[in-house]
Amino acid sequence: MLDYHRPSPQTRAVLPEECGEVHPRCIEMAEAMRELNGTSGGVRFADLIRAGFTSAEIVEFKEQAGKLATELSTRQISIRPDLMADIIEKARQAMPNRLPLPRDTKETQALVVAWGRYCAARGALLIDPWPSQRERCLTILSAYLDKLPIFPTARKAVLAAVDETLPKAVAQ
């Protein structure tokens, strides 16, 4: 049986100088809190005692360790801008919720609408391939690409790559 009232066998480290550094025991407590939260869904006082922290350490570091544990557990994810290969692949797939956005491009309503028009034209071409629909599809894609900050040669490369994958329309 564990005795929760006996002092911790660990000796307390010397406090770091008052220059904004985090105490090593606080960092240890933050890591313990992350682990406890992940395994049991929460952190109680008794859990920290069982993890080897004294009551004084818990009182002193619990708030700061909790904030640190949250910071360490939160990961910022940023979506990388689309490269040329990504733009070509997205244009070939034509999915309305995956519009190509190269570097320095923010998703705006105008871009979403233009991309949606292209996706609708591409879908119509797949259902009923005919020459005018194929040309319309490429024209709408070109209009979307004109809104992006890419070079004209890149636009031509995307159009050529998409043109290769479009169904060949047969005049009737």
Side-chain angles (χ1 to χ4, degrees):
M1 182 166 149
L2 293 173
D3 181 15
Y4 297 116
H5 300 292
R6 71 178 167 81
S8 170
Q10 298 173 339
T11 59
R12 184 172 186 177
V14 178
L15 286 173
E17 294 182 22
E18 296 297 322
C19 60
E21 291 181 29
V22 178
H23 192 279
R25 286 297 279 169
C26 182
I27 295 170
E28 290 175 35
M29 187 181 292
E31 287 299 325
M33 291 172 113
R34 287 180 62 204
E35 187 173 323
L36 287 166
N37 197 32
T39 57
S40 61
V43 179
R44 296 182 317 235
F45 192 86
D47 295 331
L48 292 174
I49 293 288
R50 278 193 289 277
F53 296 98
T54 65
S55 297
E57 289 173 329
I58 296 169
V59 169
E60 184 176 351
F61 299 126
K62 186 175 183 196
E63 186 176 327
Q64 185 181 10
K67 290 178 183 175
L68 184 59
T70 301
E71 288 175 17
L72 294 172
S73 297
T74 306
R75 185 173 62 162
Q76 294 292 332
I77 298 175
S78 61
I79 299 172
R80 72 167 174 81
D82 289 325
L83 303 173
M84 179 58 95
D86 300 325
I87 294 171
I88 290 171
E89 187 60 29
K90 287 181 176 184
R92 286 178 173 168
Q93 292 176 356
M95 296 192 317
N97 60 338
R98 293 192 62 221
L99 59 155
L101 296 171
R103 186 171 23 131
D104 300 329
T105 306
K106 299 248 187 275
E107 185 176 313
T108 63
Q109 187 66 31
L111 284 177
V112 171
V113 168
W115 183 250
R117 288 186 65 221
Y118 166 67
C119 293
R122 178 76 186 249
L125 176 65
L126 293 175
I127 292 172
D128 186 20
W130 48 281
S132 296
Q133 182 68 356
R134 190 172 196 280
E135 197 59 40
R136 179 176 174 262
C137 187
L138 290 171
T139 302
I140 293 173
L141 176 59
S142 179
Y144 174 78
L145 295 173
D146 287 340
K147 296 178 187 303
L148 300 180
I150 59 176
F151 292 112
T153 54
R155 271 187 221 113
K156 289 178 185 174
V158 172
L159 287 169
V162 170
D163 187 32
E164 293 173 1
T165 62
L166 291 177
K168 301 297 180 203
V170 183
Q172 294 178 3

